[in-house]
Amino acid sequence: MKKNILLCLTIVSVFSFSLSAQQAKLASANKKYENYAYINAIQTYERVAEKGYKSVELFQKLGNAYYFNAQLEKSAKWYGELFALDSTSIQPEYYYRYAQSLRSIGQNDKANKILEKFNKVAANDDRAELFMKNENYLEAIKAKTGYYTIEDAGINSEYSDYGTTVYKNKIIFTSARDTGSLGQRKHTWTNEHFTSLYSANLDSNMNPEATEKFDQNIKSKFNEATPVFTKDGKTIFFTRNNYLEGKKGKNGSGITLIKIYKATLDNNEWTNITELPFNSDNYSTAHPALSPDGKFLYFVSDMPGTLGQSDLFKAEIYENGTFGKPENLGPTVNTAGRETFPFLNDDDEIYFASDGHPGVGGLDIFVAKVKPDGTYDKVQNIGIDINSPKDDFAYWIDTKSNNGFFTSNRDGGKGYDDIYKLKQLKKVICEQLLYGIITDNETLEILPQTKVSLYDKQFNLIETTLSDENGKYTFNVDCGSTYNIRAEKKDYLTKESNVSISAENGKTDFPIALEPIEKKAKVGDDLAKFLDITVIYFDLDKSNIRRDAALELEKVLDVLNQNPNLKIDIRSHTDSRQTHKYNEALSNRRAKSTQNWLIRNGIDATRLSSKGYGETQLVNKCADGVKCSEEEHQLNRRSEFIIMSL
């Protein structure tokens, strides 16, 4: 809006991680049950680490295990080992967890230094809050295309035409067009005639026909604009300069501001024009809109309590026609900039114009869902079909036909502001449901009453729920966003996962399988799967135990020491490269080398057997002559520790 100055009102994050309340009871690793051995992976990891073995994954698991169980002194110890080992590639959330752990044991100075590093690291990898609020917003807006078709409404003049509503199958709008006498007054700021309300009949496709002035009884010597009508058609609310019954009001600086007025229909004439009780000579109120049930009047104002240059407010309309105290819609909707021109449709969606929310330029049109409790879901830009680098505002739509109107001063228009007709092709508000079933990763048993927490990318807690009797959890989430999700249950390891939500309407199925703290092993099970051992690494064509291989074998050694009746068969496998005979011999040497390492570290030889299988038990297609990636070959180079007896 280039010149509608009066009627278009020119108006540190706390990163917190929720500590788990779960106090898991870690059972003794040598506890015996008939035909089963119970293996506590965390205790095994800790004993291995105490022997001096180090890895990023090992220290992360130990730190997290104690952090999630509020044993922060121990989490500080293992996070400290993590940072001492590698502080260059650690994810930002570990800085925060380490700082929280340090603060819990009184090391505040060190905690503050870690937090300073956290803020730098988070900003550098796009995780700082300011960027997160605006992450890729232009790309997201530009991607929202194909939602509308638009065309000139056919009622525009060379002056300002804007602010539409529909009443009795007529479009009612605001215009500064000169249809009066030669003496018609002009506004000194805009050099345009003062605005009046005009109307045009709508055909069956909601195309406007010939225009005419709306009602002479509403017209004053100054501006009238942006009407809205009650459903019974008997009351109109509209915007006008501070002028009533021949008297012009001014603020302390001598400026005539704008107010909201109402009139009632009596014998087909609009009469009894009165201003609303929350108007004032010292601030403006404008652009009224009604809730679908007619119980609330929404409007824009710069009254005291405004968060920005202008905010959206609402006031309850009581049955006797009086009004409640205006209520600011709050920071979800309002910003430090301008929010203006509200409109509510029959689907409980509020549309409004803003230059405070991220947009493509000037005023953009936004939408948010009005929740049953009267609060608002995330504000969304409605996309580049409607929004342009100029001002776009005054959105109105009929939810039955999906036809509507909006106003813009974009290039190519006829006047200062022009009214465009729109056709909505699909819903603008993207709604996504994140759901899944929590199960035991070994037995596949469903796990009801599991605590599931939803975090944003910065690990700020959004919502927490419990899985139902069927193990199911649900969250309403934002389309196109990324979340962290945490599942916690007694006797299970806490699991964190990252989930990306589609930018389209729909549902995202995200099942979560939890790992028992104590794993029930039986004859025939592979200890490598219990202890996350994928392969015992050897140097090329060699069979001597490397330092990193010893770290993995320490886990097996600990389990054997905790379960003196346990006997295992060590099995070594290769990929299909090299000859069959060579691979068989190499795998035999490696299996034997693994066995000898365990014997040298105190395991009775009678408890161990070993064999190399070469390439005879491939787990995929990668046989001789088959082209495979290095990752596919890696799956075949594995070590197994099969339980033979307990």
Side-chain angles (χ1 to χ4, degrees):
M1 290 177 298
K2 298 185 179 92
K3 295 187 178 181
N4 281 334
I5 298 173
L6 283 180
L7 290 174
C8 178
L9 295 174
T10 307
I11 40 181
V12 164
S13 250
V14 177
F15 293 83
S16 60
F17 300 112
S18 173
L19 295 178
S20 171
Q22 173 183 325
Q23 299 295 321
K25 297 178 181 178
L26 304 179
S28 171
N30 63 1
K31 188 175 182 180
K32 297 180 180 65
Y33 292 86
E34 185 178 1
N35 297 324
Y36 293 101
Y38 282 80
I39 300 166
N40 190 310
I42 294 301
Q43 289 187 355
T44 292
Y45 295 156
E46 189 163 21
R47 286 187 288 263
V48 168
E50 295 286 8
K51 287 187 176 183
Y53 291 90
K54 301 178 179 181
S55 78
V56 170
E57 181 185 16
L58 184 67
F59 293 141
Q60 285 178 341
K61 286 185 175 180
L62 284 169
N64 287 344
Y66 290 116
Y67 183 85
F68 294 140
N69 287 285
Q71 299 181 50
L72 300 186
E73 183 174 357
K74 289 186 176 181
S75 65
K77 172 185 176 180
W78 294 117
Y79 286 146
E81 292 289 345
L82 172 65
F83 278 78
L85 182 65
D86 179 14
S87 61
T88 60
S89 59
I90 298 173
Q91 293 177 317
E93 57 262 28
Y94 285 97
Y95 284 81
Y96 185 86
R97 293 175 185 176
Y98 186 29
Q100 290 290 85
S101 301
L102 289 169
R103 201 176 296 285
S104 74
I105 57 175
Q107 296 187 25
N108 292 314
D109 290 343
K110 190 172 182 179
N112 289 337
K113 291 179 181 179
I114 295 296
L115 280 175
E116 290 174 5
K117 293 180 180 179
F118 167 75
N119 288 329
K120 292 179 181 178
V121 173
N124 290 339
D125 75 352
D126 299 340
R127 296 165 70 91
E129 184 185 27
L130 182 60
F131 185 87
M132 284 296 299
K133 286 184 176 179
N134 301 280
E135 181 185 20
N136 300 322
Y137 74 89
L138 279 176
E139 288 78 5
I141 294 171
K142 291 176 181 177
K144 193 176 286 186
T145 184
Y147 287 72
Y148 293 93
T149 60
I150 69 168
E151 59 181 303
D152 187 292
I155 53 174
N156 293 307
S157 69
E158 60 183 292
Y159 301 98
S160 286
D161 302 288
Y162 67 95
T164 56
T165 192
V166 171
Y167 166 71
K168 292 185 176 180
N169 204 39
K170 293 183 177 183
I171 181 174
I172 314 298
F173 64 99
T174 307
S175 181
R177 65 190 63 195
D178 181 13
T179 60
S181 65
L182 293 175
Q184 187 173 358
R185 303 169 69 248
K186 291 186 177 183
H187 198 294
T188 57
W189 289 5
T190 64
N191 198 35
E192 286 196 10
H193 299 286
F194 282 91
T195 59
S196 298
L197 300 183
Y198 287 77
S199 69
N201 289 325
L202 295 172
D203 67 15
S204 58
N205 294 316
M206 291 189 72
N207 295 307
E209 298 176 344
T211 63
E212 59 184 5
K213 285 190 174 181
F214 171 62
D215 191 286
Q216 193 61 37
N217 292 325
I218 297 294
K219 176 61 183 166
S220 72
K221 295 192 300 181
F222 297 98
N223 290 295
E224 279 80 31
T226 55
V228 65
F229 298 84
T230 55
K231 284 192 173 181
D232 63 9
K234 295 181 179 180
T235 303
I236 179 177
F237 298 93
F238 62 96
T239 307
R240 175 192 280 181
N241 284 107
N242 186 354
Y243 182 83
L244 184 63
E245 296 179 351
K247 296 180 181 180
K248 182 172 66 172
K250 298 180 181 181
N251 66 6
S253 301
I255 298 174
T256 299
L257 301 177
I258 51 179
K259 294 182 176 182
I260 299 174
Y261 295 83
K262 77 170 185 176
T264 54
L265 192 64
D266 186 13
N267 292 325
N268 291 321
E269 289 189 355
W270 291 105
T271 62
N272 192 28
I273 298 175
T274 58
E275 66 171 279
L276 299 193
F278 45 77
N279 288 335
S280 171
D281 290 345
N282 297 313
Y283 57 77
S284 290
T285 58
H287 312 319
L290 287 165
S291 61
D293 59 10
K295 294 181 179 180
F296 287 90
L297 184 78
Y298 287 73
F299 60 96
V300 59
S301 181
D302 58 356
M303 67 173 56
T306 300
L307 303 178
Q309 297 175 42
S310 70
D311 283 1
L312 300 187
F313 291 79
K314 70 177 181 180
E316 187 172 1
I317 305 173
Y318 299 128
E319 290 186 2
N320 62 3
T322 61
F323 290 85
K325 183 179 179 180
E327 174 186 341
N328 191 296
L329 298 197
T332 299
V333 172
N334 292 316
T335 69
R338 296 177 296 162
E339 277 69 49
T340 186
F341 289 98
F343 166 75
L344 291 95
N345 68 12
D346 292 335
D347 292 334
D348 290 318
E349 296 168 346
I350 181 170
Y351 290 81
F352 61 95
S354 172
D355 62 6
H357 292 280
V360 296
L363 290 169
D364 273 24
I365 299 171
F366 297 85
V367 62
K369 192 77 173 178
V370 183
K371 298 180 184 179
D373 63 359
T375 59
Y376 306 91
D377 267 336
K378 179 182 178 182
V379 170
Q380 299 181 37
N381 189 297
I382 69 171
I384 60 170
D385 295 331
I386 299 291
N387 289 320
S388 71
K390 298 296 182 68
D391 287 333
D392 306 286
F393 56 100
Y395 181 99
W396 183 94
I397 193 169
D398 170 49
T399 55
K400 296 180 176 62
S401 66
N402 291 322
N403 289 311
F405 303 93
F406 75 101
T407 304
S408 178
N409 68 352
R410 65 189 60 198
D411 294 338
K414 188 174 182 180
Y416 288 111
D417 300 310
D418 291 295
I419 298 170
Y420 293 84
K421 182 186 175 187
L422 64 86
K423 176 76 173 182
Q424 189 180 67
L425 305 179
K426 54 183 178 180
K427 291 287 291 182
V428 177
I429 289 185
C430 183
E431 297 178 330
Q432 266 279 346
L433 182 73
L434 173 63
Y435 74 101
I437 295 177
I438 314 293
T439 59
D440 184 304
N441 74 338
E442 294 181 355
T443 66
L444 302 183
E445 175 187 1
I446 62 171
L447 299 178
Q449 296 299 300
T450 300
K451 180 182 177 182
V452 189
S453 301
L454 184 71
Y455 296 82
D456 64 17
K457 285 182 66 176
Q458 293 175 287
F459 277 84
N460 293 310
L461 179 63
I462 299 172
E463 186 179 353
T464 296
T465 188
L466 292 174
S467 59
D468 64 18
E469 66 275 11
N470 298 312
K472 187 176 181 180
Y473 73 91
T474 59
F475 292 110
N476 292 312
V477 292
D478 295 332
C479 300
S481 296
T482 299
Y483 296 92
N484 291 290
I485 191 166
R486 182 184 299 166
E488 305 166 78
K489 190 171 181 63
K490 183 180 178 181
D491 299 328
Y492 288 86
L493 292 176
T494 296
K495 184 171 183 178
E496 289 183 314
S497 305
N498 180 271
V499 57
S500 295
I501 306 300
S502 169
E504 299 292 331
N505 280 296
K507 299 179 180 181
T508 298
D509 185 5
F510 194 77
I512 301 174
L514 294 185
E515 182 180 353
I517 291 175
E518 290 186 336
K519 305 176 184 181
K520 193 162 57 175
K522 63 182 182 299
V523 172
D525 285 341
D526 181 5
L527 287 181
K529 294 180 179 179
F530 286 96
L531 299 173
D532 291 330
I533 300 172
T534 54
V535 63
I536 301 296
Y537 287 99
F538 298 86
D539 290 326
L540 184 63
D541 294 334
K542 295 182 180 180
S543 56
N544 56 297
I545 301 296
R546 295 182 355 185
R547 176 73 177 176
D548 54 355
L551 168 61
E552 303 300 323
L553 288 178
E554 281 284 356
K555 301 175 186 177
V556 179
L557 177 63
D558 182 80
V559 172
L560 289 168
N561 285 331
Q562 300 301 317
N563 298 272
N565 294 323
L566 187 66
K567 295 182 180 181
I568 62 172
D569 181 39
I570 301 162
R571 302 175 183 179
S572 178
H573 302 268
T574 69
D575 59 37
S576 63
R577 294 176 289 188
Q578 283 287 359
T579 66
H580 178 84
K581 183 177 181 180
Y582 178 89
N583 284 333
E584 184 178 21
L586 177 62
S587 63
N588 264 316
R589 292 196 304 273
R590 289 177 171 177
K592 183 62 69 176
S593 179
T594 301
Q595 180 182 10
N596 290 337
W597 187 93
L598 292 169
I599 293 171
R600 288 197 305 272
N601 283 276
I603 302 301
D604 192 307
T606 61
R607 299 175 63 193
L608 305 171
S609 59
S610 63
K611 183 178 179 180
Y613 289 82
E615 59 181 276
T616 62
Q617 295 184 4
L618 301 177
V619 297
N620 55 25
K621 64 180 182 179
C622 300
D624 291 337
V626 177
K627 186 176 181 180
C628 287
S629 66
E630 180 59 36
E631 291 76 13
E632 290 173 315
H633 282 303
Q634 176 67 62
L635 294 174
N636 291 310
R637 297 196 303 273
R638 65 198 190 278
S639 301
E640 297 175 325
F641 302 88
I642 306 301
I643 298 175
M644 304 306 293
S645 65
L646 293 169

